[in-house]
Amino acid sequence: MNSTFDFFIGLALLIIFIWYFATESVRRKRIIGSVLAVGVTALALLFFRQIGIEKGIELRGGISAILQIQPGEDRQVSDSAQDHVIGVLQKRLNAQGTKEIILVPQGRDRIFMQFPGITSEEAEKVLNDATKNAKLEFSLVHEQNRTLAPLVAAEEEVVPGWHVLPGKPDDKAPEGSPVPQYLVEVRPDMSGEHVTSARVSYDNAGQRVVLVDFDSEGSSQFGELSKNYGRQLAIILDGEVISAPGFNSGKPIYGTCEISGDFSEREVLALASALQNPLSNELKILSVNQISPTLGKDTVNQGLLAGISGLAITLIFMLLYYRVGGILSVLGLIINLAVIFGAMSLFKFTLTLPGIAGIILTIGMSIDANVLIFERLREERAAGKSLANAIDAAYDKALSAILDANLTTLITSIILYVVATGTIKGFAITLTIGIIASLFSALLVTRVCFSWIMAAKFLKGLNFMNLIPERNINFLKGHRMHIIISAALVVMSLIVTPLRDPRGVELKGGDLITIKTHAENVTTASIKESLKDASIQSHPIVQEQSPAGQPDTFYIIRGESGSGDAIKAELQKDLGINLDDTETEQVGSQVGGEMLKTSTLALGIGLLAIMIYVTIRFEFAFALGALAALIHDLIIVVGFLSLFGRDISLITVGALLTIAGYSINDTIVVFDRVREGLRSKRGEVADVMNYCINATLSRTMLTSITTLITAVTLFLFGGPALSNFSVTIIIGILVGTYSSIFVASPIVLWWAKRTKTNLRREILDADQAKVAPPSVQSPS
């Protein structure tokens, strides 16, 4: 696709988006909104059709490789060498976190790697680029390079202190074109060891660029070099000039440097890879094998069918419950789905089966915004407002709850993307796309549709089902008992979890068994069936692999640490094969120390950001209640997974992060209604909070029901591949619904009483501060 064309189309849509919110004319807003909805959907479908989405290892297979770390001069391979190499490869091969690359320590000096969706030949090119133990240098190109370089190369002229280095052939140059030559100083101007990071980005014109960061010393050196305005700077990798950009800014560059040019995708990725953290140890490729999908075709189809069925049931429920409103919400969700897949195609996100389930689940949860609006609409109609006024009031009053709930989750996802690495970064991208798509479809698409219906005078009234009648339950009456129950569940979880250690093979490593056999009864399916009832705590991962250029077939099995003998014994008993000479090797966790450290840091910063945001938008007591409910939910969910003997894998980590978003979303919606109640209603704070919890009860229950429909369908019919994922979501929804009612609000009330905080006064003062004009001191 033409990136410049894409950029200007995106810019045009952004201008239309701003115009939509700036205009006050209802007719003009309706037309602009329609153009925007159609334009965004068409662009998303165009991205999906022309780019497509890459499938993960479990859906299409890929390659596996074993890399051996070579010791340096007079050095042994250190204990930290594996973590360092894995960190470098993760940044080189998966800087955006959008690809499902598996990198696992094996033994003391090897790395087990899996890469989805490429052939063995393509894999070797990728590995050769990624595993270079590069000597990186920077040197200014001679000002008369064009005339002197050919002469010096032909030894017709000598320039003391300068020599000629070959350049990298241009991918777009015709075959047989001469290799470019560069006259550079023998002693380079700067070493590449000062580069701290290099990443691919896009400039304002939509062209690919590489952004390079340096340490403090490197930043100072590069700043001095950049004063040579108009000169070229050769980026030299192992004696070859891989790029020679010119200094065009006209001022010194300290900090981040942007390298631009007419790069192809392969060129820009190779340049960023070469600049990114040069390896301190050379890597040797021991083997490259083609591997089968980790899930069979029937399993994939089963999971897809279950997910789509769950979503279909949810949509039918919305149609029956909200009728005309349900039709509009379904239309909004279809556009939501198109935007998600279009954005995933644009960012080249690797799609996995749990990813599909997660998207379907995200769409199910995004119904929450529609439910909020429709329940508000029901209240406004009950208050006697006309249909047109009720629709406007419903959207206006639901807006703050929808924005606050989604912005808290969006802040966390952005922090996860910036700080975390690998799979967690990829999850953050998916979450961000899902939030933006949900806001777009719920706040713009459905409102524009309502506007057209009202303009056509097609709709005289709206009738909704009401399965959850209005009640006045005193939820805060037994708050001490609720806190005791929650505290007991948290303590139980904190005891059970370390005793059972529910981490699966992906998170804690284990044994790697490679089986070579010609027995016809040995298949991936038969191995999985044999190990289904084995006395092994964590479920083993089974894959078929074929060495490049050889007819043999191997099966690799990854099981928990110490399970190798039990796995071999079970296979020998069930399949009648001899595995006495089969060796068992130790492999490490897919989540290396660096990834675990950055992910934990990102989560901590995210929680702090939520505290700050909720404190600013509400009051500290509400921030404390929201954070307590979030931590409460995650601890109890992990505790129940441990109690039920469920493994926590990378799939489950994604489900836990989804639960965190669900929990904070649910709590903020209740708090938004409490804030509104404290502004407008008289009486004791506890009574107002009870009223507001009851007012949002139908929305809370409906959102939980629609999300549970999808999750339960995945659990019942999605097969073993999605079992842990769906169980985690089901427990999380139940616990999250409970905490938003019985944990978050009581903690807010308790803290307000303990600190003698007048919540109503605090909220009213904050509102007054927003609208009060700045005071001007009159001259004396």
Short mmCIF file of all heavy atoms in Angstrom, two decimals, residues 642-680:
data_model
loop_
_atom_site.label_atom_id
_atom_site.label_comp_id
_atom_site.label_asym_id
_atom_site.label_seq_id
_atom_site.Cartn_x
_atom_site.Cartn_y
_atom_site.Cartn_z
N SER A 642 -5.56 -21.68 41.13
CA SER A 642 -4.68 -22.60 41.85
C SER A 642 -5.48 -23.68 42.54
O SER A 642 -5.13 -24.87 42.51
CB SER A 642 -3.85 -21.83 42.89
OG SER A 642 -3.10 -20.79 42.28
N LEU A 643 -6.59 -23.29 43.16
CA LEU A 643 -7.43 -24.24 43.89
C LEU A 643 -8.04 -25.28 42.96
O LEU A 643 -8.15 -26.47 43.31
CB LEU A 643 -8.54 -23.47 44.62
CG LEU A 643 -9.27 -24.18 45.75
CD1 LEU A 643 -8.31 -24.51 46.88
CD2 LEU A 643 -10.42 -23.32 46.26
N PHE A 644 -8.41 -24.87 41.76
CA PHE A 644 -9.03 -25.77 40.79
C PHE A 644 -8.00 -26.55 39.96
O PHE A 644 -8.36 -27.31 39.07
CB PHE A 644 -9.94 -24.99 39.83
CG PHE A 644 -11.12 -24.35 40.50
CD1 PHE A 644 -11.73 -23.23 39.96
CD2 PHE A 644 -11.63 -24.86 41.69
CE1 PHE A 644 -12.81 -22.62 40.56
CE2 PHE A 644 -12.72 -24.27 42.31
CZ PHE A 644 -13.31 -23.14 41.75
N GLY A 645 -6.71 -26.34 40.25
CA GLY A 645 -5.66 -27.07 39.54
C GLY A 645 -5.47 -26.61 38.11
O GLY A 645 -5.05 -27.39 37.24
N ARG A 646 -5.74 -25.34 37.82
CA ARG A 646 -5.60 -24.79 36.47
C ARG A 646 -4.21 -24.19 36.29
O ARG A 646 -3.67 -23.54 37.19
CB ARG A 646 -6.65 -23.70 36.23
CG ARG A 646 -8.07 -24.24 36.21
CD ARG A 646 -8.39 -24.81 34.86
NE ARG A 646 -9.70 -25.44 34.81
CZ ARG A 646 -10.27 -25.87 33.69
NH1 ARG A 646 -9.63 -25.74 32.54
NH2 ARG A 646 -11.45 -26.45 33.70
N ASP A 647 -3.62 -24.40 35.10
CA ASP A 647 -2.31 -23.81 34.79
C ASP A 647 -2.47 -22.33 34.45
O ASP A 647 -3.45 -21.92 33.82
CB ASP A 647 -1.66 -24.51 33.59
CG ASP A 647 -1.26 -25.93 33.92
OD1 ASP A 647 -1.19 -26.26 35.11
OD2 ASP A 647 -1.02 -26.71 32.97
N ILE A 648 -1.48 -21.54 34.84
CA ILE A 648 -1.41 -20.15 34.40
C ILE A 648 -0.35 -20.06 33.32
O ILE A 648 0.84 -20.21 33.58
CB ILE A 648 -1.06 -19.21 35.57
CG1 ILE A 648 -2.20 -19.22 36.60
CG2 ILE A 648 -0.83 -17.79 35.07
CD1 ILE A 648 -1.98 -18.30 37.78
N SER A 649 -0.79 -19.86 32.09
CA SER A 649 0.10 -19.77 30.94
C SER A 649 0.06 -18.34 30.41
O SER A 649 -0.57 -17.46 31.00
CB SER A 649 -0.37 -20.74 29.84
OG SER A 649 -1.68 -20.41 29.43
N LEU A 650 0.73 -18.09 29.28
CA LEU A 650 0.68 -16.76 28.68
C LEU A 650 -0.75 -16.40 28.26
O LEU A 650 -1.14 -15.24 28.28
CB LEU A 650 1.62 -16.70 27.48
CG LEU A 650 3.12 -16.68 27.81
CD1 LEU A 650 3.94 -16.74 26.53
CD2 LEU A 650 3.48 -15.44 28.61
N ILE A 651 -1.52 -17.42 27.86
CA ILE A 651 -2.92 -17.19 27.52
C ILE A 651 -3.67 -16.67 28.74
O ILE A 651 -4.45 -15.72 28.68
CB ILE A 651 -3.58 -18.50 27.03
CG1 ILE A 651 -2.89 -19.01 25.77
CG2 ILE A 651 -5.06 -18.31 26.80
CD1 ILE A 651 -3.34 -20.38 25.34
N THR A 652 -3.40 -17.29 29.90
CA THR A 652 -4.07 -16.90 31.13
C THR A 652 -3.65 -15.51 31.57
O THR A 652 -4.46 -14.75 32.12
CB THR A 652 -3.75 -17.90 32.26
OG1 THR A 652 -3.80 -19.23 31.74
CG2 THR A 652 -4.73 -17.78 33.40
N VAL A 653 -2.38 -15.16 31.34
CA VAL A 653 -1.91 -13.81 31.66
C VAL A 653 -2.73 -12.78 30.88
O VAL A 653 -3.14 -11.74 31.42
CB VAL A 653 -0.40 -13.66 31.36
CG1 VAL A 653 0.02 -12.19 31.47
CG2 VAL A 653 0.42 -14.51 32.30
N GLY A 654 -2.98 -13.07 29.60
CA GLY A 654 -3.83 -12.18 28.79
C GLY A 654 -5.23 -12.07 29.38
O GLY A 654 -5.81 -10.98 29.43
N ALA A 655 -5.78 -13.20 29.86
CA ALA A 655 -7.11 -13.19 30.47
C ALA A 655 -7.10 -12.37 31.76
O ALA A 655 -8.05 -11.61 32.04
CB ALA A 655 -7.56 -14.62 30.76
N LEU A 656 -6.02 -12.48 32.55
CA LEU A 656 -5.92 -11.71 33.80
C LEU A 656 -5.85 -10.21 33.52
O LEU A 656 -6.45 -9.40 34.24
CB LEU A 656 -4.69 -12.15 34.60
CG LEU A 656 -4.77 -13.55 35.24
CD1 LEU A 656 -3.42 -13.96 35.81
CD2 LEU A 656 -5.83 -13.56 36.34
N LEU A 657 -5.13 -9.82 32.49
CA LEU A 657 -5.06 -8.41 32.11
C LEU A 657 -6.43 -7.91 31.62
O LEU A 657 -6.82 -6.77 31.88
CB LEU A 657 -4.00 -8.20 31.04
CG LEU A 657 -2.55 -8.39 31.50
CD1 LEU A 657 -1.60 -8.37 30.30
CD2 LEU A 657 -2.16 -7.30 32.48
N THR A 658 -7.16 -8.79 30.92
CA THR A 658 -8.52 -8.44 30.49
C THR A 658 -9.42 -8.22 31.70
O THR A 658 -10.23 -7.29 31.74
CB THR A 658 -9.09 -9.55 29.59
OG1 THR A 658 -8.23 -9.76 28.48
CG2 THR A 658 -10.48 -9.18 29.08
N ILE A 659 -9.27 -9.10 32.71
CA ILE A 659 -10.06 -8.99 33.94
C ILE A 659 -9.76 -7.67 34.65
O ILE A 659 -10.66 -7.01 35.19
CB ILE A 659 -9.78 -10.19 34.87
CG1 ILE A 659 -10.41 -11.44 34.28
CG2 ILE A 659 -10.29 -9.93 36.29
CD1 ILE A 659 -9.96 -12.71 34.95
N ALA A 660 -8.48 -7.29 34.67
CA ALA A 660 -8.10 -6.02 35.30
C ALA A 660 -8.84 -4.86 34.64
O ALA A 660 -9.35 -3.96 35.32
CB ALA A 660 -6.59 -5.83 35.21
N GLY A 661 -8.89 -4.88 33.30
CA GLY A 661 -9.63 -3.83 32.59
C GLY A 661 -11.12 -3.87 32.89
O GLY A 661 -11.76 -2.84 33.10
N TYR A 662 -11.67 -5.09 32.95
CA TYR A 662 -13.10 -5.25 33.25
C TYR A 662 -13.40 -4.72 34.65
O TYR A 662 -14.39 -4.03 34.88
CB TYR A 662 -13.48 -6.72 33.15
CG TYR A 662 -14.91 -7.01 33.54
CD1 TYR A 662 -15.94 -6.91 32.60
CD2 TYR A 662 -15.26 -7.37 34.84
CE1 TYR A 662 -17.25 -7.16 32.94
CE2 TYR A 662 -16.56 -7.62 35.20
CZ TYR A 662 -17.56 -7.52 34.24
OH TYR A 662 -18.86 -7.76 34.60
N SER A 663 -12.52 -5.06 35.61
CA SER A 663 -12.74 -4.68 37.01
C SER A 663 -12.77 -3.16 37.18
O SER A 663 -13.69 -2.60 37.78
CB SER A 663 -11.64 -5.28 37.89
OG SER A 663 -11.73 -4.80 39.22
N ILE A 664 -11.77 -2.49 36.61
CA ILE A 664 -11.70 -1.03 36.78
C ILE A 664 -12.84 -0.37 36.01
O ILE A 664 -13.42 0.64 36.47
CB ILE A 664 -10.32 -0.49 36.32
CG1 ILE A 664 -10.11 0.93 36.85
CG2 ILE A 664 -10.16 -0.53 34.83
CD1 ILE A 664 -9.94 1.01 38.33
N ASN A 665 -13.23 -0.92 34.87
CA ASN A 665 -14.34 -0.39 34.08
C ASN A 665 -15.63 -0.46 34.88
O ASN A 665 -16.39 0.52 34.98
CB ASN A 665 -14.46 -1.18 32.78
CG ASN A 665 -15.59 -0.68 31.90
OD1 ASN A 665 -15.45 0.27 31.17
ND2 ASN A 665 -16.73 -1.36 31.97
N ASP A 666 -15.90 -1.61 35.49
CA ASP A 666 -17.12 -1.83 36.26
C ASP A 666 -17.19 -0.90 37.46
O ASP A 666 -18.23 -0.29 37.76
CB ASP A 666 -17.17 -3.29 36.72
CG ASP A 666 -18.59 -3.83 36.77
OD1 ASP A 666 -19.47 -3.25 36.11
OD2 ASP A 666 -18.81 -4.83 37.47
N THR A 667 -16.07 -0.77 38.15
CA THR A 667 -16.02 0.07 39.35
C THR A 667 -16.22 1.54 39.02
O THR A 667 -16.96 2.25 39.71
CB THR A 667 -14.68 -0.12 40.08
OG1 THR A 667 -14.50 -1.51 40.40
CG2 THR A 667 -14.62 0.68 41.36
N ILE A 668 -15.58 2.02 37.96
CA ILE A 668 -15.67 3.43 37.59
C ILE A 668 -17.09 3.81 37.19
O ILE A 668 -17.57 4.91 37.49
CB ILE A 668 -14.69 3.76 36.44
CG1 ILE A 668 -13.25 3.65 36.94
CG2 ILE A 668 -14.94 5.15 35.89
CD1 ILE A 668 -12.88 4.61 38.05
N VAL A 669 -17.81 2.91 36.54
CA VAL A 669 -19.19 3.18 36.15
C VAL A 669 -20.05 3.42 37.39
O VAL A 669 -20.86 4.36 37.45
CB VAL A 669 -19.76 2.03 35.30
CG1 VAL A 669 -21.27 2.17 35.15
CG2 VAL A 669 -19.11 1.99 33.93
N VAL A 670 -19.87 2.58 38.42
CA VAL A 670 -20.61 2.76 39.67
C VAL A 670 -20.21 4.08 40.33
O VAL A 670 -21.07 4.86 40.79
CB VAL A 670 -20.36 1.58 40.63
CG1 VAL A 670 -21.03 1.83 41.97
CG2 VAL A 670 -20.87 0.28 40.02
N PHE A 671 -18.91 4.36 40.37
CA PHE A 671 -18.43 5.59 41.01
C PHE A 671 -18.94 6.84 40.29
O PHE A 671 -19.22 7.85 40.92
CB PHE A 671 -16.90 5.60 41.02
CG PHE A 671 -16.29 4.72 42.08
CD1 PHE A 671 -14.92 4.55 42.16
CD2 PHE A 671 -17.09 4.04 43.00
CE1 PHE A 671 -14.35 3.75 43.14
CE2 PHE A 671 -16.54 3.23 43.97
CZ PHE A 671 -15.16 3.07 44.04
N ASP A 672 -19.05 6.78 38.97
CA ASP A 672 -19.55 7.92 38.22
C ASP A 672 -20.99 8.24 38.63
O ASP A 672 -21.37 9.41 38.77
CB ASP A 672 -19.48 7.63 36.72
CG ASP A 672 -19.90 8.82 35.88
OD1 ASP A 672 -19.05 9.69 35.64
OD2 ASP A 672 -21.08 8.88 35.47
N ARG A 673 -21.77 7.19 38.83
CA ARG A 673 -23.17 7.40 39.25
C ARG A 673 -23.22 7.93 40.69
O ARG A 673 -24.07 8.77 41.02
CB ARG A 673 -23.94 6.09 39.11
CG ARG A 673 -25.45 6.25 39.18
CD ARG A 673 -25.95 7.21 38.10
NE ARG A 673 -27.40 7.31 38.12
CZ ARG A 673 -28.21 6.61 37.32
NH1 ARG A 673 -27.69 5.80 36.42
NH2 ARG A 673 -29.50 6.75 37.41
N VAL A 674 -22.31 7.43 41.53
CA VAL A 674 -22.24 7.93 42.92
C VAL A 674 -21.89 9.41 42.93
O VAL A 674 -22.48 10.21 43.66
CB VAL A 674 -21.21 7.12 43.74
CG1 VAL A 674 -20.97 7.77 45.10
CG2 VAL A 674 -21.69 5.69 43.94
N ARG A 675 -20.93 9.81 42.09
CA ARG A 675 -20.55 11.22 42.00
C ARG A 675 -21.73 12.07 41.56
O ARG A 675 -21.98 13.15 42.11
CB ARG A 675 -19.39 11.37 41.02
CG ARG A 675 -18.94 12.80 40.79
CD ARG A 675 -17.72 12.87 39.87
NE ARG A 675 -17.97 12.25 38.58
CZ ARG A 675 -17.05 12.11 37.63
NH1 ARG A 675 -15.82 12.55 37.85
NH2 ARG A 675 -17.35 11.54 36.47
N GLU A 676 -22.47 11.58 40.58
CA GLU A 676 -23.65 12.32 40.11
C GLU A 676 -24.69 12.43 41.22
O GLU A 676 -25.31 13.48 41.40
CB GLU A 676 -24.24 11.59 38.90
CG GLU A 676 -25.47 12.26 38.31
CD GLU A 676 -26.08 11.45 37.18
OE1 GLU A 676 -25.32 10.79 36.44
OE2 GLU A 676 -27.31 11.49 37.03
N GLY A 677 -24.87 11.33 41.98
CA GLY A 677 -25.84 11.34 43.07
C GLY A 677 -25.46 12.31 44.17
O GLY A 677 -26.33 13.00 44.73
N LEU A 678 -24.19 12.36 44.51
CA LEU A 678 -23.74 13.28 45.55
C LEU A 678 -23.90 14.74 45.13
O LEU A 678 -24.05 15.63 45.97
CB LEU A 678 -22.28 12.99 45.91
CG LEU A 678 -22.01 11.67 46.64
CD1 LEU A 678 -20.51 11.42 46.77
CD2 LEU A 678 -22.67 11.68 48.02
N ARG A 679 -23.87 15.00 43.82
CA ARG A 679 -24.07 16.37 43.34
C ARG A 679 -25.54 16.79 43.45
O ARG A 679 -25.84 17.95 43.76
CB ARG A 679 -23.68 16.47 41.86
CG ARG A 679 -22.19 16.46 41.59
CD ARG A 679 -21.97 16.34 40.10
NE ARG A 679 -20.56 16.37 39.72
CZ ARG A 679 -20.09 15.86 38.60
NH1 ARG A 679 -20.91 15.29 37.74
NH2 ARG A 679 -18.80 15.93 38.34
N SER A 680 -26.45 15.85 43.17
CA SER A 680 -27.85 16.24 42.97
C SER A 680 -28.82 15.80 44.06
O SER A 680 -29.94 16.30 44.12
CB SER A 680 -28.33 15.69 41.63
OG SER A 680 -28.20 14.27 41.61
#
